[in-house]
Amino acid sequence: MFHIIVNLALILTFIIPMSAKAEWFFFSDTAMTTAIELEMWSDDAAVAKLISTKVFAEFKRIDQSMSRYQSTSELSKVNRMAALEPVRVSGELLRLIQRSTELSTLSSGAFDITFASLGYLYDFRAAKQPSQKWIRKQLPSVNYQNIIVDEKAKTIAFKQEGTLLDLGGIAKGYTVDLGVAILKDYGISHARLSAGGDMRMLGDKKGKPWMIGIKDPRKEAQHAVVLPLSSVAISTSGDYERFFIDEVGERVHHIISPKTGRPAKGIQSVSVIGPNAITTDGLSTAIFVLGVEQGLSLIESLPDVDVIIIDAERQMHFSKGLMMPVN
Ligand code: ADP
Ligand code: MG
């Protein structure tokens, strides 16, 4: 009897404090000019804090190596040199550029990191955009096929002078996935990590789904729809995050059609749901450029992804996976 009591007491001291202490922890930071939010269920405040430090450090690391705006970044070196000679790069940058060109092929060139060859002429804060003349001049440099990736030599070269790369359409999603890998390494099984419009959920919200709102593109702080989601990523690309209205009343925003060199028309927002954030981030930008019809057909041709599109008339379009089954 005594033994049983002792054993029971031992078991209780091991079990009860652990589960009683577990709680939600919330951390936030700013990186890549975006708000980063991290929420996790943990039984150890110190470990939760450590994880958050490591996750936020990843955003800073990727920004330092892959930002077009930092002159010391690896990407800036490529942009400066790759038209002159092949530039040796890290395996990480090489893979991300490769992944980007794969998405270009998949989206018939709608997603194209060489959009920056003329994209750099847009300044949304200063309300500046290139003239048609400049666009015509730079447009031949916008073509992902101008990027030569040498996997063996680990180099990047450009076929055409004037080519510039910008990973803004995919880097945040990529880093969200890196953050989620850290969470998993520490044994966390309920968490949510977001960087602006890119978010990934690890598990559910302890027995309930996460309720994720998609912003109304024209009514700040209002949701167009709220979705119950678990263990997936969701990325939203919108024409309302970085934009200005020009002198003729046109909305000039940051998602550029590689065909015209102008902001893509026909859509206000695209949210893609999929297994990881690099996929959803890249696809949301691609579909914004492709438009409703081609965007929906691309999504339907791929496994494990869904989309919600709000078009220029504020009509909502859902992929088949999100529609109620009709009997
Ligand atoms: P956010 O940056 O708000 O998360 P997106 O994921 O839609 O939004 O990415 C938009 C960014 O993608 C732009 O700011 C720019 O850096 C980049 N971009 C714009 N047009 C294209 C394009 N056609 N292909 C690839 N990247 C693009
Ligand atoms: Mg994107």
Side-chain angles (χ1 to χ4, degrees):
M1 183 63 188
F2 178 67
H3 266 295
I4 293 172
I5 291 168
V6 169
N7 284 345
L8 201 67
L10 262 177
I11 290 167
L12 288 179
T13 44
F14 274 110
I15 295 173
I16 289 180
M18 291 263 285
S19 52
K21 247 172 49 191
E23 58 184 300
W24 287 106
F25 290 91
F26 188 88
F27 303 92
S28 60
D29 198 0
T30 305
M32 303 180 172
T33 58
T34 319
I36 318 289
E37 288 179 8
L38 172 60
E39 217 175 322
M40 74 182 101
W41 179 259
S42 170
D43 52 26
D44 189 327
V47 171
K49 178 77 193 134
L50 176 70
I51 294 172
S52 76
T53 309
K54 292 199 169 191
V55 169
F56 294 150
E58 281 296 82
F59 282 92
K60 307 234 154 97
R61 183 179 70 81
I62 296 299
D63 196 32
Q64 272 163 22
S65 65
M66 305 205 185
S67 167
R68 171 165 77 80
Y69 300 97
Q70 307 217 20
S71 61
T72 52
S73 73
E74 216 188 345
L75 188 74
S76 291
K77 190 178 165 202
V78 170
N79 280 342
R80 275 195 302 272
M81 303 294 295
L84 305 170
E85 60 187 24
V87 178
R88 216 180 136 80
V89 295
S90 64
E92 192 175 33
L93 180 58
L94 190 101
R95 279 192 299 278
L96 200 55
I97 291 174
Q98 251 174 344
R99 186 75 187 249
S100 301
T101 56
E102 282 162 21
L103 184 53
S104 301
T105 312
L106 192 70
S107 65
S108 318
F111 185 90
D112 189 333
I113 55 174
T114 67
F115 86 93
S117 313
L118 62 77
Y120 84 96
L121 295 166
Y122 287 88
D123 184 339
F124 302 97
R125 264 188 225 151
K128 279 196 185 130
Q129 58 179 323
S131 65
Q132 265 315 315
K133 198 176 144 206
W134 264 104
I135 291 177
R136 261 197 304 277
K137 186 167 174 288
Q138 300 289 107
L139 212 47
S141 301
V142 178
N143 185 350
Y144 66 95
Q145 285 159 332
N146 289 339
I147 310 171
I148 306 163
V149 180
D150 187 332
E151 228 174 307
K152 275 214 187 99
K154 276 199 177 178
T155 60
I156 305 292
F158 298 151
K159 284 184 195 162
Q160 170 112 12
E161 223 180 303
T163 304
L164 290 175
L165 309 183
D166 178 321
L167 295 166
I170 200 165
K172 268 183 259 166
Y174 170 67
T175 317
V176 166
D177 288 340
L178 293 179
V180 166
I182 294 172
L183 288 156
K184 281 187 183 167
D185 279 351
Y186 278 89
I188 299 294
S189 43
H190 303 279
R192 184 183 69 82
L193 173 61
S194 70
D198 301 300
M199 183 189 300
R200 185 162 159 193
M201 287 140 271
L202 195 52
D204 62 7
K205 202 175 179 179
K206 292 279 301 163
K208 291 180 292 186
W210 299 90
M211 299 305 287
I212 306 302
I214 293 175
K215 281 186 196 162
D216 183 320
R218 293 294 176 270
K219 293 192 184 123
E220 224 174 304
Q222 271 193 43
H223 288 144
V225 59
V226 178
L227 302 167
L229 298 174
S230 310
S231 305
V232 288
I234 178 166
S235 291
T236 299
S237 291
D239 68 0
Y240 53 90
E241 293 286 357
R242 285 204 277 148
F243 75 98
F244 63 92
I245 308 287
D246 71 8
E247 62 282 0
V248 294
E250 282 225 27
R251 178 178 288 255
V252 182
H253 63 80
H254 67 145
I255 302 168
I256 308 295
S257 161
K259 271 194 198 143
T260 63
R262 303 274 312 143
K265 285 196 172 140
I267 288 183
Q268 292 181 355
S269 108
V270 174
S271 302
V272 174
I273 301 162
N276 52 60
I278 190 172
T279 304
T280 57
D281 190 8
L283 278 175
S284 70
T285 309
I287 285 161
F288 197 106
V289 173
L290 279 175
V292 177
E293 211 172 301
Q294 284 187 61
L296 280 171
S297 72
L298 173 58
I299 288 289
E300 300 300 358
S301 75
L302 300 171
D304 305 327
V305 286
D306 274 297
V307 73
I308 297 166
I309 303 175
I310 304 176
D311 71 20
E313 277 72 50
R314 295 174 57 75
Q315 288 284 331
M316 279 204 179
H317 306 261
F318 297 88
S319 59
K320 291 193 181 118
L322 294 174
M323 289 195 241
M324 297 280 257
V326 190
N327 335 300

